[in-house]
Coordinates of all heavy atoms in Angstrom, one line a residue:
M141 N 95.5 104.3 50.6 CA 96.7 103.4 50.7 C 97.3 103.4 52.1 O 97.5 104.4 52.7 CB 97.7 104.1 49.7 CG 99.1 103.4 49.7 SD 99.3 102.0 48.7 CE 101.0 101.8 48.7
G142 N 97.5 102.2 52.6 CA 97.9 102.1 54.0 C 99.4 102.3 54.1 O 100.2 102.1 53.2
A143 N 99.8 102.8 55.2 CA 101.2 102.9 55.5 C 101.5 102.7 57.0 O 100.6 102.8 57.8 CB 101.7 104.4 55.2
G144 N 102.7 102.2 57.3 CA 103.0 102.0 58.7 C 102.2 100.9 59.4 O 101.9 101.0 60.6
G145 N 101.7 99.9 58.6 CA 100.9 98.9 59.2 C 99.5 99.2 59.4 O 98.8 98.4 60.1
I146 N 99.0 100.4 59.0 CA 97.6 100.7 59.2 C 96.8 100.1 58.1 O 97.1 100.3 56.9 CB 97.4 102.3 59.2 CG1 98.2 102.9 60.3 CG2 95.9 102.6 59.3 CD1 98.4 104.4 60.2
P147 N 95.8 99.3 58.4 CA 95.0 98.6 57.4 C 94.4 99.6 56.4 O 93.9 100.6 56.9 CB 94.0 97.8 58.2 CG 94.6 97.6 59.5 CD 95.4 98.9 59.7
N148 N 94.4 99.2 55.1 CA 93.9 100.2 54.1 C 92.5 99.8 53.7 O 92.0 100.2 52.6 CB 94.8 100.2 52.9 CG 95.1 98.9 52.3 OD1 94.5 97.9 52.7 ND2 95.9 98.9 51.3
R149 N 91.7 99.1 54.5 CA 90.4 98.7 54.1 C 89.6 98.3 55.4 O 90.2 98.1 56.5 CB 90.4 97.5 53.2 CG 90.9 96.2 53.7 CD 91.1 95.2 52.6 NE 92.3 95.5 51.9 CZ 92.6 95.0 50.7 NH1 91.7 94.2 50.1 NH2 93.7 95.2 50.0
A150 N 88.3 98.2 55.3 CA 87.5 97.8 56.4 C 87.8 96.4 56.8 O 88.1 95.5 56.0 CB 86.0 98.0 56.1
I151 N 87.7 96.1 58.1 CA 87.9 94.8 58.7 C 86.7 94.3 59.4 O 86.1 95.1 60.2 CB 89.1 94.9 59.7 CG1 90.4 95.4 59.0 CG2 89.3 93.5 60.3 CD1 91.5 95.7 60.0
N152 N 86.3 93.1 59.1 CA 85.2 92.5 59.8 C 85.7 91.4 60.7 O 86.6 90.6 60.2 CB 84.2 91.9 58.8 CG 83.5 93.0 58.0 OD1 82.9 93.9 58.5 ND2 83.5 92.9 56.6
I153 N 85.2 91.3 61.9 CA 85.8 90.4 62.9 C 84.8 89.2 63.0 O 83.6 89.5 63.2 CB 85.9 91.1 64.3 CG1 86.8 92.4 64.1 CG2 86.5 90.1 65.3 CD1 88.2 92.1 63.8
F154 N 85.3 88.0 63.0 CA 84.5 86.8 63.2 C 85.1 86.0 64.3 O 86.3 86.0 64.5 CB 84.4 86.0 61.9 CG 83.7 86.8 60.8 CD1 84.4 87.6 59.9 CD2 82.3 86.7 60.7 CE1 83.7 88.3 58.9 CE2 81.6 87.4 59.7 CZ 82.3 88.2 58.8
E155 N 84.3 85.2 65.0 CA 84.7 84.2 65.9 C 84.1 82.9 65.5 O 82.9 82.8 65.2 CB 84.2 84.6 67.3 CG 84.4 83.6 68.4 CD 85.8 83.6 69.0 OE1 86.4 84.7 69.2 OE2 86.3 82.5 69.4
G156 N 84.9 81.9 65.4 CA 84.4 80.6 65.0 C 85.3 79.7 64.3 O 86.6 79.8 64.5
R157 N 84.8 78.8 63.4 CA 85.7 77.8 62.8 C 86.3 78.2 61.6 O 87.5 77.9 61.3 CB 84.8 76.5 62.6 CG 84.8 75.5 63.7 CD 84.4 74.2 63.2 NE 85.4 73.5 62.4 CZ 85.3 73.1 61.2 NH1 84.1 73.3 60.6 NH2 86.3 72.5 60.5
K158 N 85.6 78.9 60.7 CA 86.2 79.2 59.4 C 85.5 80.5 58.8 O 84.4 80.8 59.2 CB 86.1 78.1 58.4 CG 84.8 77.7 57.9 CD 84.8 76.5 57.0 CE 85.5 76.7 55.7 NZ 84.7 77.4 54.7
L159 N 86.3 81.1 57.9 CA 85.8 82.3 57.2 C 85.1 81.8 55.9 O 85.5 80.8 55.3 CB 86.9 83.2 56.9 CG 87.5 83.9 58.1 CD1 88.8 84.6 57.6 CD2 86.6 84.9 58.7
D160 N 84.2 82.6 55.3 CA 83.6 82.3 54.1 C 84.6 82.5 52.9 O 85.4 83.4 53.0 CB 82.3 83.1 53.9 CG 81.2 82.7 54.8 OD1 81.2 81.6 55.3 OD2 80.4 83.6 55.1
D161 N 84.4 81.8 51.8 CA 85.2 82.0 50.6 C 84.9 83.3 49.9 O 85.7 83.8 49.2 CB 85.0 80.8 49.7 CG 85.6 79.5 50.2 OD1 86.2 79.5 51.3 OD2 85.4 78.5 49.5
E162 N 83.7 83.8 50.1 CA 83.3 85.0 49.6 C 82.8 86.0 50.7 O 82.2 85.5 51.6 CB 82.2 84.8 48.5 CG 82.7 84.0 47.3 CD 81.8 83.9 46.1 OE1 81.2 85.0 45.8 OE2 81.6 82.8 45.6
G163 N 83.0 87.2 50.5 CA 82.7 88.2 51.5 C 82.4 89.6 50.9 O 82.2 89.7 49.7
E164 N 82.4 90.5 51.8 CA 82.1 91.9 51.4 C 83.3 92.4 50.5 O 84.5 92.2 50.9 CB 82.1 92.8 52.7 CG 81.2 94.0 52.5 CD 81.2 94.8 53.9 OE1 81.1 94.1 54.9 OE2 81.4 96.0 53.8
P165 N 83.0 92.9 49.3 CA 84.1 93.3 48.4 C 85.1 94.3 49.1 O 84.7 95.2 49.8 CB 83.4 94.0 47.2 CG 82.0 93.3 47.2 CD 81.7 93.1 48.7
N166 N 86.4 94.1 48.7 CA 87.4 95.0 49.2 C 87.5 95.2 50.7 O 87.8 96.3 51.2 CB 87.3 96.3 48.5 CG 87.4 96.2 47.0 OD1 88.3 95.6 46.5 ND2 86.5 96.8 46.3
T167 N 87.3 94.1 51.4 CA 87.5 94.1 52.8 C 88.4 93.0 53.3 O 88.8 92.1 52.5 CB 86.1 93.9 53.6 OG1 85.6 92.6 53.3 CG2 85.1 95.0 53.2
R168 N 88.7 93.0 54.6 CA 89.5 92.0 55.2 C 88.6 91.4 56.3 O 87.9 92.2 57.0 CB 90.8 92.5 55.8 CG 91.6 91.5 56.5 CD 92.8 92.2 57.1 NE 92.8 92.2 58.6 CZ 93.5 93.0 59.3 NH1 94.3 93.9 58.8 NH2 93.5 92.8 60.6
S169 N 88.6 90.1 56.5 CA 88.0 89.5 57.6 C 89.0 88.8 58.5 O 90.0 88.2 58.0 CB 87.0 88.4 57.1 OG 85.9 88.9 56.6
D170 N 88.9 89.0 59.8 CA 89.7 88.4 60.8 C 89.0 87.3 61.5 O 87.9 87.6 62.0 CB 90.3 89.4 61.7 CG 91.4 90.3 61.1 OD1 91.8 90.0 60.0 OD2 91.8 91.3 61.8
L171 N 89.6 86.1 61.6 CA 88.9 85.0 62.3 C 89.6 84.8 63.7 O 90.9 84.6 63.7 CB 89.0 83.8 61.5 CG 88.4 82.5 62.1 CD1 86.9 82.6 62.2 CD2 88.8 81.3 61.3
Y172 N 88.9 84.8 64.7 CA 89.4 84.5 66.1 C 88.9 83.2 66.6 O 87.7 82.9 66.3 CB 89.0 85.7 67.0 CG 89.8 86.9 66.8 CD1 89.4 87.9 65.8 CD2 90.9 87.2 67.6 CE1 90.2 89.0 65.7 CE2 91.6 88.4 67.4 CZ 91.3 89.3 66.5 OH 92.0 90.4 66.3
Q173 N 89.7 82.5 67.2 CA 89.3 81.3 67.9 C 89.8 81.4 69.4 O 91.0 81.5 69.6 CB 89.9 80.0 67.2 CG 89.0 79.6 66.1 CD 89.5 78.3 65.4 OE1 90.5 77.7 65.8 NE2 88.8 77.9 64.4
N174 N 88.9 81.3 70.3 CA 89.2 81.4 71.7 C 90.0 82.7 72.0 O 91.0 82.6 72.8 CB 90.0 80.2 72.2 CG 89.2 78.9 71.9 OD1 88.0 78.8 72.2 ND2 89.9 77.9 71.4
G175 N 89.7 83.7 71.3 CA 90.3 85.0 71.6 C 91.6 85.2 70.9 O 92.2 86.3 71.0
K176 N 92.1 84.2 70.1 CA 93.4 84.4 69.4 C 93.1 84.5 67.9 O 92.3 83.8 67.3 CB 94.2 83.1 69.6 CG 95.0 83.1 70.9 CD 95.8 81.9 71.1 CE 97.0 81.8 70.1 NZ 97.8 80.6 70.2
L177 N 93.8 85.5 67.3 CA 93.7 85.7 65.9 C 94.3 84.5 65.1 O 95.5 84.1 65.3 CB 94.5 86.9 65.4 CG 94.5 87.3 63.9 CD1 93.1 87.5 63.4 CD2 95.3 88.5 63.7
K178 N 93.4 83.8 64.4 CA 93.8 82.6 63.7 C 94.1 82.8 62.2 O 95.1 82.3 61.6 CB 92.7 81.5 63.8 CG 93.0 80.2 63.0 CD 91.9 79.2 63.2 CE 92.0 78.1 62.2 NZ 93.2 77.2 62.5
Q179 N 93.3 83.7 61.6 CA 93.4 83.9 60.1 C 92.8 85.2 59.7 O 91.9 85.7 60.3 CB 92.6 82.7 59.4 CG 92.7 82.7 57.9 CD 92.0 81.5 57.4 OE1 90.7 81.5 57.4 NE2 92.7 80.5 57.0
S180 N 93.5 85.8 58.7 CA 92.9 86.9 58.0 C 92.7 86.6 56.6 O 93.4 85.8 56.0 CB 93.9 88.1 58.0 OG 94.1 88.6 59.3
R181 N 91.6 87.1 56.0 CA 91.3 86.8 54.6 C 90.9 88.1 53.9 O 90.1 88.9 54.4 CB 90.2 85.8 54.5 CG 89.8 85.4 53.0 CD 88.9 84.2 53.0 NE 89.7 83.0 53.4 CZ 89.1 81.8 53.8 NH1 87.8 81.7 53.7 NH2 89.9 80.8 54.1
W182 N 91.5 88.3 52.7 CA 91.2 89.5 51.9 C 90.3 89.2 50.8 O 90.5 88.1 50.1 CB 92.5 90.1 51.4 CG 93.3 90.8 52.4 CD1 93.4 92.2 52.6 CD2 94.2 90.2 53.4 NE1 94.3 92.4 53.7 CE2 94.8 91.3 54.1 CE3 94.6 88.9 53.7 CZ2 95.7 91.0 55.2 CZ3 95.5 88.7 54.7 CH2 96.0 89.7 55.4
Y183 N 89.3 90.0 50.5 CA 88.4 89.8 49.4 C 88.6 90.9 48.4 O 88.8 92.1 48.7 CB 86.9 89.9 50.0 CG 86.6 88.8 51.0 CD1 86.6 89.1 52.4 CD2 86.4 87.5 50.6 CE1 86.3 88.1 53.3 CE2 86.1 86.5 51.5 CZ 86.1 86.8 52.9 OH 85.8 85.8 53.8
G184 N 88.5 90.5 47.1 CA 88.7 91.4 46.0 C 87.4 92.1 45.7 O 86.4 92.0 46.4
P185 N 87.5 92.9 44.6 CA 86.4 93.7 44.2 C 85.1 92.9 43.9 O 84.0 93.5 44.0 CB 86.8 94.4 42.9 CG 88.3 94.2 42.8 CD 88.6 93.0 43.7
D186 N 85.2 91.7 43.5 CA 84.0 90.8 43.3 C 83.6 90.1 44.5 O 82.7 89.2 44.5 CB 84.3 89.9 42.1 CG 85.5 89.0 42.4 OD1 86.1 89.1 43.4 OD2 85.8 88.2 41.5
G187 N 84.3 90.3 45.6 CA 83.9 89.6 46.9 C 84.5 88.3 47.0 O 84.3 87.6 48.1
K188 N 85.3 87.8 46.0 CA 85.9 86.5 46.2 C 87.2 86.6 46.9 O 88.0 87.6 46.7 CB 86.1 85.9 44.8 CG 84.9 85.5 44.1 CD 85.2 85.0 42.7 CE 83.9 84.7 41.8 NZ 83.1 83.6 42.3
A189 N 87.6 85.6 47.7 CA 88.8 85.7 48.4 C 90.0 85.7 47.5 O 90.0 85.1 46.4 CB 88.9 84.4 49.3
V190 N 91.0 86.5 47.8 CA 92.2 86.6 47.0 C 93.5 86.2 47.8 O 94.5 85.9 47.3 CB 92.4 88.1 46.5 CG1 91.3 88.4 45.4 CG2 92.4 89.1 47.5
R191 N 93.4 86.2 49.2 CA 94.5 86.0 50.0 C 94.1 85.6 51.4 O 93.1 86.1 51.9 CB 95.4 87.3 50.1 CG 96.7 87.1 50.7 CD 97.8 86.9 49.6 NE 99.1 87.0 50.1 CZ 100.2 86.9 49.3 NH1 100.1 86.7 48.0 NH2 101.4 86.9 49.8
N192 N 94.9 84.7 51.9 CA 94.8 84.3 53.4 C 96.0 84.6 54.1 O 97.1 84.5 53.5 CB 94.6 82.8 53.5 CG 93.2 82.3 53.4 OD1 92.3 82.9 53.0 ND2 93.1 81.0 53.9
R193 N 95.9 84.9 55.3 CA 97.1 84.9 56.2 C 96.8 84.0 57.4 O 95.8 84.2 58.1 CB 97.5 86.3 56.7 CG 98.8 86.3 57.6 CD 99.5 87.6 57.6 NE 99.8 88.0 56.2 CZ 99.7 89.3 55.7 NH1 99.3 90.2 56.5 NH2 100.0 89.5 54.4
D194 N 97.6 83.0 57.6 CA 97.4 82.0 58.7 C 98.4 82.3 59.8 O 99.6 82.4 59.6 CB 97.7 80.6 58.2 CG 96.6 80.2 57.2 OD1 95.5 80.7 57.2 OD2 96.9 79.3 56.3
Y195 N 97.8 82.5 61.0 CA 98.6 82.8 62.2 C 98.9 81.5 62.9 O 100.0 81.4 63.6 CB 97.9 83.8 63.0 CG 97.8 85.1 62.4 CD1 96.7 85.5 61.6 CD2 98.9 86.0 62.4 CE1 96.7 86.7 60.9 CE2 98.8 87.2 61.7 CZ 97.7 87.6 61.0 OH 97.7 88.8 60.3
F196 N 98.0 80.5 62.8 CA 98.3 79.2 63.3 C 97.3 78.2 62.7 O 96.2 78.6 62.3 CB 98.3 79.1 64.9 CG 96.9 79.4 65.5 CD1 96.0 78.3 65.7 CD2 96.5 80.6 65.8 CE1 94.8 78.5 66.3 CE2 95.2 80.9 66.4 CZ 94.4 79.8 66.6
H197 N 97.8 77.0 62.5 CA 96.9 75.9 62.2 C 97.7 74.6 62.3 O 98.9 74.7 62.7 CB 96.3 76.0 60.7 CG 97.3 76.1 59.6 ND1 98.3 75.2 59.4 CD2 97.4 77.1 58.6 CE1 99.0 75.5 58.3 NE2 98.5 76.7 57.8
Q198 N 97.1 73.5 62.0 CA 97.8 72.2 62.2 C 99.1 72.2 61.3 O 99.2 72.7 60.2 CB 97.0 71.0 61.7 CG 96.0 70.6 62.7 CD 95.5 69.2 62.4 OE1 95.7 68.7 61.3 NE2 94.8 68.5 63.3
D199 N 100.2 71.7 61.9 CA 101.5 71.7 61.3 C 102.2 70.4 61.6 O 103.3 70.4 62.2 CB 102.3 72.9 61.7 CG 103.6 73.1 61.0 OD1 103.7 72.6 59.8 OD2 104.5 73.7 61.5
S200 N 101.5 69.3 61.3 CA 102.0 68.0 61.7 C 103.4 67.6 61.2 O 104.1 66.9 61.8 CB 101.0 66.9 61.4 OG 100.7 66.9 60.0
H201 N 103.7 68.2 60.0 CA 105.0 67.9 59.4 C 106.0 69.0 59.8 O 107.2 69.0 59.3 CB 105.0 67.8 57.9 CG 104.1 66.6 57.5 ND1 104.6 65.3 57.6 CD2 102.9 66.6 56.9 CE1 103.6 64.5 57.1 NE2 102.6 65.3 56.7
R202 N 105.6 70.0 60.6 CA 106.5 71.1 61.0 C 107.2 71.7 59.9 O 108.4 72.0 60.0 CB 107.5 70.6 62.1 CG 106.8 70.0 63.3 CD 107.8 69.4 64.3 NE 107.1 68.6 65.4 CZ 106.9 69.1 66.6 NH1 107.3 70.3 66.9 NH2 106.3 68.4 67.5
N203 N 106.5 71.9 58.8 CA 107.1 72.6 57.6 C 106.4 73.9 57.3 O 106.5 74.4 56.2 CB 107.0 71.6 56.4 CG 105.6 71.1 56.1 OD1 104.7 71.5 56.8 ND2 105.5 70.3 55.1
H204 N 105.8 74.5 58.2 CA 105.2 75.8 58.0 C 105.9 76.8 58.9 O 106.3 76.5 60.0 CB 103.7 75.9 58.4 CG 102.8 75.1 57.5 ND1 102.7 73.7 57.6 CD2 102.0 75.5 56.5 CE1 101.9 73.3 56.6 NE2 101.4 74.4 56.0
K205 N 106.0 78.0 58.4 CA 106.5 79.2 59.2 C 105.3 80.1 59.4 O 104.5 80.3 58.5 CB 107.5 79.9 58.4 CG 108.2 81.1 59.0 CD 109.3 81.5 58.1 CE 109.5 83.0 58.1 NZ 110.5 83.5 57.1
F206 N 105.1 80.5 60.6 CA 103.9 81.4 60.9 C 104.3 82.8 61.3 O 105.3 82.9 62.0 CB 103.1 80.8 62.1 CG 102.4 79.4 61.7 CD1 103.1 78.2 62.0 CD2 101.2 79.4 61.1 CE1 102.5 77.0 61.7 CE2 100.6 78.2 60.7 CZ 101.2 77.0 61.0
P207 N 103.5 83.8 60.9 CA 102.4 83.7 59.9 C 102.9 83.5 58.5 O 104.1 83.7 58.2 CB 101.7 85.0 60.1 CG 102.8 86.0 60.5 CD 103.8 85.2 61.3
H208 N 102.0 83.0 57.7 CA 102.3 82.8 56.2 C 101.0 83.1 55.5 O 99.9 83.2 56.1 CB 102.8 81.4 55.9 CG 101.9 80.3 56.3 ND1 102.1 79.5 57.3 CD2 100.7 80.0 55.7 CE1 101.1 78.6 57.4 NE2 100.2 78.9 56.5
D209 N 101.2 83.3 54.2 CA 100.0 83.6 53.3 C 99.7 82.5 52.4 O 100.6 81.6 52.1 CB 100.3 84.9 52.5 CG 100.3 86.2 53.3 OD1 100.2 86.1 54.6 OD2 100.4 87.3 52.7
H210 N 98.5 82.5 51.9 CA 98.1 81.6 50.8 C 97.4 82.4 49.7 O 96.5 83.3 50.0 CB 97.1 80.5 51.2 CG 97.6 79.5 52.2 ND1 98.2 78.3 51.7 CD2 97.8 79.5 53.5 CE1 98.6 77.6 52.8 NE2 98.3 78.3 53.9
N211 N 97.8 82.2 48.4 CA 97.1 82.9 47.4 C 95.8 82.1 47.0 O 95.7 80.9 47.2 CB 98.0 83.0 46.1 CG 99.0 84.1 46.2 OD1 98.6 85.3 46.4 ND2 100.2 83.9 46.1
W212 N 94.9 82.9 46.4 CA 93.7 82.2 45.9 C 93.6 82.5 44.4 O 93.9 83.6 44.0 CB 92.4 82.8 46.6 CG 92.2 82.4 48.0 CD1 93.0 82.6 49.0 CD2 91.1 81.6 48.5 NE1 92.5 82.0 50.2 CE2 91.3 81.5 49.9 CE3 89.9 81.2 47.9 CZ2 90.4 80.8 50.7 CZ3 89.0 80.5 48.7 CH2 89.2 80.3 50.1
N213 N 93.3 81.5 43.6 CA 93.1 81.6 42.2 C 91.8 80.9 41.8 O 91.8 79.7 41.8 CB 94.3 81.0 41.5 CG 94.2 81.2 40.0 OD1 93.1 81.5 39.4 ND2 95.2 80.9 39.2
W214 N 90.8 81.7 41.4 CA 89.5 81.1 41.2 C 89.4 80.4 39.9 O 88.3 79.8 39.6 CB 88.4 82.2 41.4 CG 88.2 82.5 42.8 CD1 89.0 83.3 43.6 CD2 87.2 82.0 43.7 NE1 88.5 83.4 44.9 CE2 87.5 82.6 45.0 CE3 86.2 81.1 43.5 CZ2 86.7 82.2 46.1 CZ3 85.4 80.8 44.6 CH2 85.6 81.4 45.9
A215 N 90.5 80.3 39.1 CA 90.5 79.5 38.0 C 90.8 78.0 38.4 O 90.7 77.1 37.6 CB 91.6 79.9 37.0
N216 N 91.3 77.8 39.6 CA 91.6 76.5 40.1 C 90.4 76.0 41.0 O 89.6 76.8 41.5 CB 92.9 76.5 41.0 CG 94.1 77.0 40.1 OD1 94.1 76.7 38.9 ND2 95.0 77.6 40.8
N217 N 90.4 74.7 41.2 CA 89.4 74.1 42.1 C 90.1 73.1 43.0 O 90.5 72.1 42.5 CB 88.3 73.5 41.3 CG 87.2 73.0 42.2 OD1 87.1 73.3 43.4 ND2 86.3 72.1 41.6
P218 N 90.2 73.3 44.3 CA 89.7 74.5 45.0 C 90.6 75.7 44.7 O 91.8 75.6 44.3 CB 89.8 74.1 46.5 CG 90.9 73.1 46.5 CD 90.9 72.4 45.2
P219 N 90.1 76.9 44.9 CA 90.8 78.1 44.5 C 92.0 78.4 45.5 O 92.9 79.1 45.0 CB 89.8 79.2 44.6 CG 88.6 78.7 45.4 CD 88.7 77.2 45.3
R220 N 91.9 78.0 46.7 CA 93.0 78.3 47.6 C 94.2 77.5 47.3 O 94.2 76.2 47.3 CB 92.6 78.0 49.1 CG 93.6 78.3 50.1 CD 93.1 77.9 51.5 NE 94.1 77.7 52.5 CZ 94.9 76.7 52.6 NH1 94.8 75.6 51.8 NH2 95.8 76.6 53.6
D221 N 95.4 78.1 47.1 CA 96.6 77.4 46.9 C 97.1 76.8 48.2 O 97.3 77.5 49.2 CB 97.7 78.4 46.4 CG 98.9 77.7 45.9 OD1 99.2 76.6 46.3 OD2 99.7 78.4 45.1
P222 N 97.3 75.5 48.2 CA 97.8 74.8 49.4 C 99.2 75.2 49.8 O 99.6 75.0 51.0 CB 97.6 73.3 49.2 CG 97.7 73.2 47.7 CD 97.1 74.5 47.1
N223 N 100.0 75.7 48.9 CA 101.4 76.1 49.2 C 101.4 77.5 49.8 O 100.7 78.4 49.3 CB 102.2 76.1 47.9 CG 102.3 74.7 47.3 OD1 102.6 73.8 47.9 ND2 101.9 74.6 46.0
W224 N 102.1 77.6 50.8 CA 102.2 78.9 51.5 C 103.3 79.7 51.0 O 104.3 79.2 50.4 CB 102.3 78.7 53.0 CG 103.5 78.0 53.6 CD1 103.6 76.6 53.7 CD2 104.7 78.6 54.0 NE1 104.8 76.4 54.2 CE2 105.6 77.5 54.4 CE3 105.2 79.9 54.0 CZ2 106.8 77.8 54.9 CZ3 106.5 80.1 54.5 CH2 107.3 79.0 54.9
V225 N 103.2 81.0 51.1 CA 104.2 82.0 50.7 C 104.5 83.0 51.9 O 103.7 83.0 52.8 CB 103.8 82.8 49.5 CG1 103.7 81.8 48.3 CG2 102.5 83.5 49.7
E226 N 105.5 83.7 51.8 CA 105.8 84.7 52.8 C 104.7 85.7 52.8 O 104.1 86.1 51.8 CB 107.1 85.4 52.4 CG 108.4 84.6 52.6 CD 108.7 84.3 54.0 OE1 108.4 85.1 54.9 OE2 109.3 83.2 54.3
P227 N 104.4 86.3 54.0 CA 103.4 87.3 54.1 C 103.7 88.5 53.2 O 104.9 89.0 53.2 CB 103.4 87.7 55.6 CG 104.0 86.5 56.3 CD 105.0 85.9 55.3
D228 N 102.7 89.0 52.5 CA 102.8 90.2 51.7 C 102.2 91.4 52.6 O 101.0 91.7 52.4 CB 102.1 90.1 50.4 CG 102.2 91.3 49.5 OD1 102.7 92.3 50.0 OD2 101.8 91.2 48.4
Y229 N 103.0 92.0 53.4 CA 102.5 93.0 54.3 C 102.2 94.3 53.6 O 101.5 95.2 54.1 CB 103.5 93.2 55.5 CG 103.6 92.0 56.4 CD1 104.8 91.4 56.5 CD2 102.5 91.6 57.2 CE1 105.0 90.3 57.4 CE2 102.7 90.5 58.1 CZ 103.9 89.9 58.2 OH 104.0 88.8 59.0
K230 N 102.8 94.5 52.4 CA 102.6 95.7 51.7 C 101.3 95.8 51.1 O 100.5 96.8 51.2 CB 103.7 95.8 50.6 CG 103.7 97.1 49.9 CD 105.0 97.3 49.1 CE 105.0 98.6 48.3 NZ 104.3 98.5 47.1
N231 N 100.9 94.7 50.4 CA 99.6 94.7 49.7 C 98.5 94.2 50.4 O 97.3 94.4 50.1 CB 99.8 94.0 48.3 CG 100.7 94.6 47.4 OD1 100.6 95.8 47.1 ND2 101.8 93.9 47.0
F232 N 98.8 93.4 51.5 CA 97.7 92.8 52.3 C 98.0 93.1 53.7 O 98.8 92.5 54.4 CB 97.7 91.3 52.0 CG 97.3 90.9 50.6 CD1 98.3 90.7 49.7 CD2 96.0 91.0 50.2 CE1 98.0 90.4 48.4 CE2 95.7 90.7 48.9 CZ 96.7 90.4 48.0
N233 N 97.4 94.2 54.2 CA 97.7 94.7 55.5 C 96.4 94.9 56.3 O 95.3 94.7 55.8 CB 98.6 95.9 55.5 CG 98.0 97.0 54.7 OD1 96.7 97.2 54.6 ND2 98.8 97.9 54.2
Ligands
ZN301 ZN1 98.5 77.9 56.0

């Protein structure tokens, strides 16, 4: 169990355009673009994404606050909820 902002799971670092929807179970992936952290994604026990944290992306309507999170629900298609929510730093760190 993490405390004081210490991540409570393994982190894989990627550089590039996007993260995969599925990854190593119970890990976090961090996506960097040009050396800047763009996105974190958490994977559940089955390896499917459960949460995103976006540090920056297009915001043409200027209606996003950064960073923010997106929930994933694999009962939906696509599973990523387009609506953003406040970051959950307690459960996703
Ligand atoms: Zn977003």
Side-chain angles (χ1 to χ4, degrees):
M141 173 83 168
I146 299 166
N148 58 4
R149 64 189 79 199
I151 302 168
N152 294 306
I153 307 290
F154 295 90
E155 170 83 36
R157 268 200 73 239
K158 69 186 289 289
L159 294 169
D160 291 336
D161 292 356
E162 299 189 40
E164 206 180 318
N166 298 312
T167 64
R168 179 182 115 197
S169 287
D170 285 354
L171 178 69
Y172 285 83
Q173 277 182 1
N174 303 314
K176 278 180 68 181
L177 179 60
K178 177 180 169 63
Q179 185 176 73
S180 295
R181 180 166 293 166
W182 286 260
Y183 298 102
D186 57 1
K188 291 176 185 294
V190 293
R191 191 93 171 183
N192 272 15
R193 182 156 303 140
D194 291 334
Y195 294 92
F196 66 91
H197 60 56
Q198 276 199 349
D199 186 26
S200 52
H201 296 287
R202 298 173 190 263
N203 55 1
H204 291 78
K205 180 174 146 187
F206 293 95
H208 60 251
D209 288 7
H210 292 268
N211 279 305
W212 286 60
N213 180 349
W214 286 79
N216 298 332
N217 187 14
R220 176 185 165 281
D221 189 338
N223 297 308
W224 61 271
V225 295
E226 290 288 330
D228 180 352
Y229 293 115
K230 183 164 179 281
N231 295 304
F232 298 96
N233 60 26

